[in-house]
């Protein structure tokens, strides 16, 4: 299953940078590409009122909750 793949294989990214807002993220992608460095916005962090911590990975129609 997709969930097993995320737990067993290294399906991470090379480097993650968390920024305050979408504009900053877009600027950083543009700067990276200007230096011929591949970069993309791959997600976002959202506030939750829940006491439970979880990571939700969405890939197409599939969703994995860790």
């Amino acid at each position: 299953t997709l969930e097993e793949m995320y737990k067993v294989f290294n399906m991470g990214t090379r480097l993650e940078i968390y920024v305050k807002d979408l504009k900053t993220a877009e600027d950083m992608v543009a700067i990276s590409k200007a230096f011929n460095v591949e970069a993309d916005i791959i997600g976002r962090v959202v506030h939750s009122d829940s006491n439970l911590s979880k990571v939700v990975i969405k890939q197409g129609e599939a969703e994995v909750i860790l």
Side-chain angles (χ1 to χ4, degrees), residues 29-52:
V29 168
I31 291 166
S32 296
K33 289 183 178 182
F35 285 94
N36 208 22
V37 174
E38 191 176 321
D40 288 301
I41 297 170
I42 61 167
R44 60 192 171 110
V45 176
V46 295
H47 173 77
S48 173
D49 291 326
S50 170
N51 289 333
L52 302 175

Side-chain angles (χ1 to χ4, degrees), residues 2 6 8 14-15 17 21-22 29 35 39 45 51-53 60 64-66:
L2 189 59
Y6 274 98
V8 174
R14 292 187 195 140
L15 174 68
I17 299 174
D21 55 41
L22 181 59
V29 168
F35 285 94
V45 176
N51 289 333
L52 302 175
S53 296
V64 176
I65 299 174
L66 304 171

Side-chain angles (χ1 to χ4, degrees), residues 55-66:
V55 174
V56 180
I57 301 170
K58 295 182 181 180
Q59 184 174 7
E61 297 295 318
E63 184 176 280
V64 176
I65 299 174
L66 304 171

